[in-house]
Amino acid sequence: MFHSKATYFALLLSAIFSMNLHATSLFNEHSFSALTADKRAMSLGDTVTVVVLENAQAKSRSGSSNANDISISAAGSSPQGSWPYALGIGADYSGDAVISRNGYIKAQITAVVSEIDQFGNLVINGTQNITIDGELQSIELSGRVRPVDIMANNTLLSSRIMDAKITFTGEEQESEGVLSSLFSWLGF
C-alpha cells in the first residue's frame, strides 16, 4: 500500500513538472511606483499645482504742447484824454503724459496633464474662476512642462512652463476724480 501511494505521488509530480505552467506576475513595471516615491504628475490625467508668480511692467511716455492766445482790445477817447482800455482773453495748454502699467499676479491653480509630447514633456491645462464682490475673475493656464521641473510636493513654478499662456481676466473699475470729470466734460 505504501509502495502504490509513493508511485502515484511520483507520477503526479512528473506530470506537474512536464506541463508548461504559466503564471501572471503581480508586478507591472510600467505602472509600478514605490511606496516612498514622489507623487509627481507623470502621466495623462495626473494633476499638478502651479504656483503663478508673474510680474509684468510697461511704461510709455508722450508729450504734447499747444498754445492758444486770443486777445481782444478796445480803445476810446474823451475830452479829458484817451482811455486806453483793453480786453484780453488768452488760453494756453501744455502737457506731458506718462502711461505706466504694472501687472502682478500671485495665484495657485491646479492643472491637468492632457498630453505627453514626443520629447516626454507634459502638456498641461487649467482654469480657475473666482467671484469677488460679485465680480468674476478667471485664470486660464496652458503650456508644456518637463517632468524634472515638477517639485517633490507636486508643485510647479509658472516660470518653468514652456510656451506658457496665462490669462487673467476680471473687470477692474477705476473712478475718476471730480475735477478730472469736470475738465473732461469741458473738453480740457
Side-chain angles (χ1 to χ4, degrees):
M1 182 160 186
F2 178 71
H3 183 61
S4 65
K5 284 186 182 181
T7 306
Y8 287 125
F9 185 68
L11 287 173
L12 180 64
L13 283 178
S14 65
I16 290 174
F17 287 123
S18 65
M19 287 196 275
N20 290 331
L21 299 177
H22 297 287
T24 58
S25 175
L26 298 176
F27 173 75
N28 183 351
E29 65 184 55
H30 299 292
S31 64
F32 175 75
S33 178
L35 293 174
T36 59
D38 296 331
K39 304 295 184 213
R40 297 180 194 187
M42 300 290 256
S43 57
L44 292 176
D46 287 351
T47 59
V48 61
T49 300
V50 180
V51 179
V52 180
L53 296 172
E54 296 293 330
N55 189 9
Q57 296 179 354
K59 194 172 199 176
S60 174
R61 181 179 200 106
S62 66
S64 66
S65 177
N66 187 8
N68 294 325
D69 195 9
I70 300 172
S71 295
I72 300 174
S73 61
S77 62
S78 72
Q80 289 87 11
S82 64
W83 296 338
Y85 292 106
L87 175 64
I89 299 174
D92 65 4
Y93 170 81
S94 67
D96 194 11
V98 176
I99 298 172
S100 179
R101 288 191 160 270
N102 293 326
Y104 179 76
I105 182 171
K106 179 181 177 183
Q108 285 189 7
I109 181 171
T110 300
V112 66
V113 177
S114 61
E115 184 181 335
I116 299 175
D117 72 8
Q118 64 196 29
F119 303 108
N121 297 316
L122 308 175
V123 177
I124 60 169
N125 297 297
T127 302
Q128 185 178 56
N129 294 314
I130 304 167
T131 303
I132 301 173
D133 291 333
E135 180 181 312
L136 178 67
Q137 296 182 350
S138 177
I139 302 170
E140 294 180 22
L141 176 131
S142 66
R144 293 182 301 137
V145 178
R146 296 183 313 169
V148 297
D149 290 332
I150 300 173
M151 293 182 260
N153 62 353
N154 200 36
T155 59
L156 171 71
L157 293 175
S158 62
S159 60
R160 304 300 296 172
I161 300 173
M162 299 175 282
D163 301 328
K165 292 183 180 102
I166 302 170
T167 306
F168 177 75
T169 56
E171 294 182 14
E172 187 176 312
Q173 297 179 358
E174 293 183 15
S175 60
E176 199 174 74
V178 174
L179 289 177
S180 297
S181 298
L182 178 64
F183 286 137
S184 295
W185 182 76
L186 292 173
F188 291 116

